[in-house]
Amino acid sequence: MAIPDYPSTLPKPSMGNYSLKPQSGKIRTEMEGGPARVRRRSLSVPVDVQVLFKFDRKEFGIFQKFYREDLFDGASYFNIKLVNGAGEHIVKARFKDEYEASVDKHENFWQVSGTLEAMNMPLIS
């Protein structure tokens, strides 16, 4: 089964509330004496990405359909263009939890926020 792409008709995440937080990729074992032993758990460490989308009513409807049908209520991975220190790249991600949506004060736009779990974020070469 192919990984779906984030709809090209929808705006990319806003940089206003954007943040990255790598998940822990190590195991720490406290020793009875001396320093703790720390070792790498995996070479592929997911990165939590806080995102905020700003949609008009129609775009929000497209997003809801994509989330429900293509992502099976957020359980599946999808391809999306995200930004990190290496620039803007398409990565595989999924929603870590349910998204939150609210209408802005002028009732023109929906603000949708959530946390994506991004796999294999590229590094600068």
Side-chain angles (χ1 to χ4, degrees):
M1 185 170 155
I3 296 174
D5 294 326
Y6 177 75
S8 60
T9 57
L10 296 181
K12 61 184 182 180
S14 166
M15 294 303 287
N17 195 35
Y18 194 86
S19 67
L20 306 173
K21 181 181 179 190
Q23 294 180 14
S24 177
K26 59 187 180 261
I27 297 173
R28 182 180 179 92
T29 305
E30 296 297 330
M31 307 306 280
E32 198 169 302
R37 180 173 176 216
V38 180
R39 59 196 181 281
R40 186 182 247 177
R41 179 188 317 230
S42 171
L43 293 175
S44 178
V45 179
V47 175
D48 291 344
V49 183
Q50 269 310 116
V51 291
L52 175 69
F53 300 96
K54 294 181 181 178
F55 300 133
D56 64 24
R57 187 189 53 77
K58 183 178 179 184
E59 290 168 339
F60 183 51
I62 293 168
F63 172 80
Q64 287 181 300
K65 186 176 191 301
F66 172 70
Y67 185 87
R68 168 70 56 89
E69 295 179 0
D70 295 339
L71 303 184
F72 304 104
D73 289 317
S76 294
Y77 284 102
F78 63 104
N79 295 315
I80 185 169
K81 196 176 279 191
L82 296 176
V83 177
N84 72 352
E88 189 174 57
H89 297 278
I90 295 175
V91 298
K92 183 172 90 169
R94 67 179 168 193
F95 279 89
K96 196 166 180 178
D97 205 349
E98 304 305 315
Y99 67 85
E100 291 185 36
S102 60
V103 178
D104 75 345
K105 62 184 174 184
H106 302 292
E107 299 183 15
N108 296 329
F109 292 95
W110 285 88
Q111 294 189 34
V112 176
S113 62
T115 302
L116 300 179
E117 182 179 58
M119 300 300 294
N120 301 320
M121 291 287 275
L123 299 174
I124 197 165
S125 52

